[in-house]
Amino acid sequence: MRSDSVTKGMQQAPHRSLFNALGMTEEELNRPLVGIVSSYNEIVPGHMNLDKIVAAVKQGVAMAGGTPIVFPAIAVCDGIAMGHIGMKYSLVTRDLICDSTECMALAHAFDALVMVPNCDKNVPGLLMAAARLNIPTVFVSGGPMLAGHIKGKKRSLSSMFEAVGSYSAGTMTEDDVREFENKVCPTCGSCSGMYTANSMNCLTEAIGMGLGGNGTIPAVYSERIKLAKHAGMKVMELLEKNIRPRDIMNEKAFMNALTVDMALGCSTNTMLHIPAIAHEAGVELNVDIANEISKKTPNLCHLAPAGPTYMEDLNEAGGVYAVMKELTKKNLLYTDLITATGKTVGENIENAVNRNPEVIRPLENPYSETGGLAILKGNLAPDSGVVKRSAVVPEMMKHQGPARVFDCEEDAIAAIKGGKIVAGDVVVIRYEGPKGGPGMREMLNPTSAIAGMGLGSSVALITDGRFSGASRGASIGHVSPEAAVGGPIALVEEGDIISIDIDNCRLDVLISEEEMEKRRAKWQPREPKVTTGYLARYAKLVTSGNRGAILEMK
């Protein structure tokens, strides 16, 4: 056991004296030490219930013969951080979470780990840590929020942001907005649509690191507590069998995750997180492969913001396993891979049933024959850009319009809410990438303002930043290379015609190469927006969006 280095032998007597200070018994020290990484805090709605999840995990570990020991991980609420300097600190926490978990796990010689995340960056950050550490590990999240109910319709956080845009457009009153404010987020949990947190929790099942139901069982259901107890028990089985994260998260498992991603219609942020997790697992994953997978993977789900269904509906319909079972009808998944259940993918989904073909479309009747995400390339995005194709209205799948150029999110929001953006425009927000932001802010405020003002079917938005999973419409993010390093998005001028062709995976600015070269020769790097603290260090180390915004020594 790894923990023998702190619990066994005369040389470890000083270590044991410190365990004695913790009140630990000899019996506890003779059992495997299982670290429980708790993302609990009192500021993130998706994390306020994690103390109960952690208590259940501890019980499960103890029942199965282990000694559970809790240590923390930080978490940022993307919704609360949205639209101000706080959003610069969202993506960057992914690496802090990974690094700090590595430090704690190795410093204290844990034999196994149970990860308890829930919201946007905690899930990928802890998956990265699991891959890096390669200690037997299982995931159990806090679960999704229930949808709100307003005037007989289910609603979620994206509806709230769009309500603010509708108020600016004069189509909603202050009382209307207040009703949304009080009803869209009725319980704890990760926000109720197929946003980034729920996307990543679902993909934790698809990649094999979470138990069945981890992505979909609502936070307030007692079934979630039972799942947490089983996760605590299961990690002891993984330890006994020596099944480790890199046994589970191999190249084929990442292909499975991308395939399920396409079928579910997940957040564009998965195109940042999956390559970063793969990198830690020793698998180099080029996002271009997403289009190859998308071509053969039908989109089976239209959860909010793409459609009117929510995570609770997906759960009742059979959850992620039911989606995976549909995909096996065309042999689209590798089913012989080992998972954190101790069983193979095929064994996990053998008895899965699609209980609602309106929520999970059968493979014979998909929303589209291609997947929910698309990687775009062209002279505006030589490396790549990404769009949630399943959340784009048909009339915007192919679009040309004049560029309305802004060098930060705030200026774009002011123009949108000031009525300066009109049908046909293409809003370009740049210098918001991983380096330029720094931190690659989400653009939920501008996309919501566009939708709320009735322009969602006629205005596109392109950025080297990224989007919340709650964004919908022709929202193209992660444009790489980013403006801060002189990518073509830095060379776009007001009024240039932008051509978007999502079906053919193209993103271009309609100027000649000669004109592009003239502009490139004149371009000068901007002074960094932040010169001190963690963001400054992050900006020096971070790579582009198409590489997952991983940190890399230069």
Side-chain angles (χ1 to χ4, degrees):
M1 287 289 175
R2 294 168 48 82
S3 60
D4 288 355
S5 62
V6 294
T7 60
K8 301 290 191 298
M10 181 56 66
Q11 195 68 29
Q12 280 65 44
H15 305 73
R16 289 194 298 275
S17 72
L18 293 168
F19 282 109
N20 287 334
L22 291 168
M24 285 201 177
T25 66
E26 185 177 344
E27 290 82 359
E28 286 174 297
L29 295 183
N30 285 331
R31 295 177 173 186
L33 302 186
V34 179
I36 302 173
V37 187
S38 170
S39 302
Y40 168 78
N41 64 44
E42 294 182 342
I43 187 63
V44 183
H47 289 227
M48 64 177 283
N49 66 319
L50 295 190
D51 55 342
K52 295 176 177 62
I53 303 298
V54 167
V57 171
K58 288 179 70 175
Q59 193 170 349
V61 169
M63 284 192 294
T67 298
I69 304 172
V70 180
F71 65 88
I74 63 169
V76 164
C77 175
D78 277 24
I80 294 174
M82 194 70 65
H84 58 96
I85 192 172
M87 184 44 68
K88 293 179 185 288
Y89 286 92
S90 171
L91 178 62
V92 304
T93 64
R94 185 186 71 181
D95 298 274
L96 282 176
I97 291 161
C98 176
D99 292 348
S100 61
T101 302
E102 173 196 356
C103 293
M104 290 294 288
L106 295 182
H108 301 103
F110 287 109
D111 297 304
L113 297 169
V114 181
M115 306 295 198
V116 187
N118 208 29
C119 289
D120 293 31
K121 309 310 169 300
N122 293 77
V123 185
L126 291 178
L127 281 166
M128 289 165 65
R132 184 185 295 180
L133 290 162
N134 205 31
I135 299 166
T137 301
V138 66
F139 276 67
V140 57
S141 75
M145 184 184 291
L146 294 180
H149 291 262
I150 302 173
K151 294 180 173 61
K153 291 185 178 180
K154 287 185 177 181
R155 299 290 188 179
S156 62
L157 186 65
S158 56
S159 308
M160 181 72 255
F161 277 89
E162 290 178 14
V164 176
S166 297
Y167 175 78
S168 298
T171 58
M172 285 184 73
T173 67
E174 187 173 345
D175 286 343
D176 291 331
V177 175
R178 191 170 300 279
E179 183 179 10
F180 272 74
E181 184 179 328
N182 289 325
K183 294 181 178 179
V184 293
C185 297
T187 73
C188 63
S190 48
C191 296
S192 56
M194 187 55 81
Y195 310 151
T196 305
N198 291 327
S199 295
M200 291 307 304
N201 280 319
C202 287
L203 295 186
T204 301
E205 288 188 56
I207 208 169
M209 289 298 293
L211 307 186
N214 184 56
T216 60
I217 298 171
V220 294
Y221 282 15
S222 298
E223 191 68 24
R224 175 66 55 179
I225 300 297
K226 292 166 66 177
L227 183 75
K229 291 176 183 176
H230 282 129
M233 290 183 249
K234 187 59 67 174
V235 80
M236 298 305 296
E237 180 185 330
L238 297 180
L239 177 60
E240 182 183 355
K241 294 179 177 177
N242 196 29
I243 298 174
R244 299 169 181 251
R246 290 195 184 193
D247 299 325
I248 296 167
M249 291 192 284
N250 55 34
E251 185 173 2
K252 289 180 179 179
F254 287 107
M255 296 303 105
N256 279 355
L258 286 170
T259 301
V260 175
D261 190 339
M262 294 299 170
L264 285 171
C266 290
S267 164
T268 53
N269 283 312
T270 60
M271 292 298 102
L272 284 175
H273 300 321
I274 292 175
I277 299 161
H279 176 75
E280 293 292 349
V283 176
E284 291 307 313
L285 192 67
N286 190 319
V287 294
D288 291 356
I289 199 169
N291 282 344
E292 296 176 32
I293 292 173
S294 180
K295 285 178 185 176
K296 60 184 181 182
T297 306
N299 177 224
L300 305 180
C301 299
H302 266 193
L303 285 88
T309 53
Y310 294 81
M311 296 305 296
E312 62 204 66
D313 302 312
L314 179 59
N315 186 63
E316 295 301 320
V320 176
Y321 280 4
V323 175
M324 295 173 73
K325 187 70 173 288
E326 289 288 346
L327 294 172
T328 60
K329 292 178 181 178
K330 272 190 174 181
N331 297 316
L332 294 174
L333 296 177
Y334 296 99
T335 57
D336 59 344
L337 308 181
I338 194 66
T339 72
T341 66
K343 300 177 181 179
T344 65
V345 171
E347 289 171 325
N348 287 342
I349 66 176
E350 184 178 4
N351 297 318
V353 175
N354 181 357
R355 299 187 184 92
N356 190 337
E358 295 302 313
V359 176
I360 304 171
R361 289 277 187 96
L363 204 72
E364 307 80 39
N365 181 36
Y367 282 102
S368 66
E369 293 292 342
T370 52
L373 299 179
I375 302 298
L376 310 185
K377 288 195 172 188
N379 71 348
L380 186 51
D383 289 341
S384 68
V386 62
V387 64
K388 189 169 183 174
R389 171 165 42 195
S390 60
V392 180
V393 294
E395 54 266 39
M396 289 299 289
M397 295 294 284
K398 192 168 187 175
H399 177 76
Q400 288 189 6
R404 306 299 308 279
V405 182
F406 304 94
D407 287 352
C408 67
E409 178 189 7
E410 289 83 356
D411 290 349
I413 292 170
I416 295 164
K417 292 187 175 178
K420 296 179 181 178
I421 303 301
V422 299
D425 284 348
V426 178
V427 176
V428 177
I429 305 177
R430 61 192 181 188
Y431 294 99
E432 291 284 8
K435 284 185 181 293
M440 204 178 189
R441 289 195 285 181
E442 289 182 343
M443 302 292 154
L444 179 55
N445 272 351
T447 58
S448 298
I450 287 169
M453 297 183 76
L455 296 171
S457 60
S458 60
V459 169
L461 195 154
I462 297 171
T463 182
D464 53 6
R466 59 196 181 92
F467 295 107
S468 164
S471 292
R472 62 187 175 99
S475 303
I476 301 166
H478 311 184
V479 170
S480 302
E482 63 173 292
V485 298
I489 193 171
L491 311 178
V492 176
E493 295 181 359
E494 187 79 8
D496 285 348
I497 301 300
I498 305 291
S499 174
I500 300 166
D501 187 345
I502 294 173
D503 285 332
N504 290 304
C505 300
R506 295 291 305 182
L507 179 63
D508 296 283
V509 53
L510 301 185
I511 60 173
S512 67
E513 184 56 34
E514 291 76 15
E515 176 61 24
M516 186 79 84
E517 286 304 319
K518 284 181 186 177
R519 296 181 188 182
R520 187 173 284 116
K522 294 178 184 177
W523 180 81
Q524 294 292 324
R526 303 282 180 94
E527 289 295 318
K529 293 178 185 175
V530 180
T531 58
T532 60
Y534 179 60
L535 284 179
R537 295 199 303 275
Y538 181 88
K540 288 181 179 179
L541 297 175
V542 70
T543 63
S544 64
N546 70 301
R547 294 187 58 200
I550 60 172
L551 302 186
E552 193 171 68
M553 297 297 291
K554 303 302 179 186

